Amino acid sequence: MKFFVDTANLDQIKEAFDLGVLDGVTTNPSLMAKEGITGQKKILDHYVKICEIADGPVSAEVISTDFKGIIKEGEKLADLHPNIVVKVPMIKDGVKALRYFSDNGIKTNCTLIFSAGQAILAAKAGATYLSPFIGRLDDTSWDGMELISQIVHIYNTHGYETEVLAASIRNPLHIVKCAEMGADVVTCPLNSILGLLNHPLTDIGLAKFLEDHKKANQ
Ligand code: E4P
């Protein structure tokens, strides 16, 4: 399972890659706004900065919602750097755009997925990645992990090549569950990735090893 970091914060992206377990980056318009990146030029420049740090796919989301606009914006984003993946929302014109990008060799990430039906459409349209939002489903009392399991089953059954990129991850347990269920990728906040490190018995065990070593070597 690949690990992507879900942020537009350059320091966090650097820290995540320095850890040596990262495979890519996802962003969205809310994450860009959170970093204070506004205006088309600054936004495009920021994607290039992310690509210079990240050694792997970088999802950059379109703002347009009509077919022509999505294509124009997506082609401009794809021209920025070979690692750019054009993130397209699950809407009717988005599905048409996924097919266009797929036919023209541009990688895509179909975002805002909340149902298996949407996942089937995106795969049929040739999406490279599919982003089901686990945390946002959990927030509405639906089981986000159940959706991941259902989509993985459908994709495996029918041999769809679209990769399941589990998004809206809120904690380390989501990551572990995604691994169990066969998600191809998880995109996570840095804190959830770092949360995988933690176990009290590791801390207690290490303290004891160091203490015993110190005593024996006094
Ligand atoms: C990633 O591609 C999504 O945009 C992101 O994971 C959404 O996460 P959130 O629900 O925590 O905003």
Side-chain angles (χ1 to χ4, degrees):
M1 186 172 75
K2 285 175 267 189
F3 274 30
F4 291 179
V5 68
D6 192 28
T7 182
N9 181 288
L10 298 180
D11 290 335
Q12 287 191 16
I13 293 169
K14 271 190 208 119
E15 186 180 341
F17 272 91
D18 282 350
L19 200 57
V21 298
L22 251 287
D23 301 290
V25 179
T26 54
T27 63
N28 64 39
S30 305
L31 293 171
M32 294 293 273
K34 193 175 160 194
E35 297 307 315
I37 313 297
T38 54
Q40 207 201 12
K41 181 164 176 0
K42 271 195 188 170
I43 290 173
L44 296 182
D45 288 349
H46 198 74
Y47 285 135
V48 173
K49 283 182 196 161
I50 294 175
C51 288
E52 283 166 357
I53 299 170
D55 183 18
V58 173
S59 287
E61 189 159 340
V62 298
I63 308 300
S64 305
T65 53
D66 64 294
F67 179 72
K68 275 191 183 165
I70 295 172
I71 299 306
K72 194 173 164 202
E73 219 185 309
E75 285 179 334
K76 196 167 187 176
L77 288 169
D79 278 348
L80 288 176
H81 194 279
N83 285 352
I84 289 282
V85 173
V86 179
K87 207 169 173 191
V88 178
M90 172 40 74
I91 53 176
K92 193 173 175 186
D93 281 22
V95 172
K96 283 164 66 180
L98 290 172
R99 168 51 57 206
Y100 173 89
F101 288 135
S102 173
D103 289 346
N104 286 277
I106 291 176
K107 289 193 173 150
T108 53
N109 174 357
C110 184
T111 190
L112 290 166
I113 297 297
F114 294 95
S115 78
Q118 293 176 326
I120 293 169
L121 266 184
K124 292 288 292 177
T128 315
Y129 299 99
L130 177 91
S131 290
F133 279 32
I134 301 174
R136 292 193 197 186
L137 270 177
D138 287 355
D139 291 344
T140 59
S141 300
W142 287 67
D143 187 351
M145 292 314 313
E146 184 52 39
L147 178 63
I148 299 296
S149 166
Q150 194 182 12
I151 295 171
V152 168
H153 175 70
I154 291 168
Y155 279 16
N156 286 344
T157 302
H158 295 280
Y160 292 138
E161 287 176 8
T162 302
E163 292 191 44
V164 179
L165 192 173
S168 189
I169 296 249
R170 300 279 162 79
N171 56 59
L173 190 56
H174 273 155
I175 302 176
V176 174
K177 289 276 171 202
C178 283
E180 279 179 355
M181 288 174 178
D184 300 290
V185 192
V186 279
T187 187
C188 331
L190 181 57
N191 277 350
S192 299
I193 297 170
L194 295 178
L196 293 171
L197 285 165
N198 299 333
H199 198 289
L201 290 178
T202 304
D203 300 338
I204 293 166
L206 180 60
K208 180 85 170 82
F209 286 155
L210 295 180
E211 189 191 321
D212 289 347
H213 173 82
K214 196 173 166 189
K215 273 189 209 155
N217 288 278
Q218 270 170 353

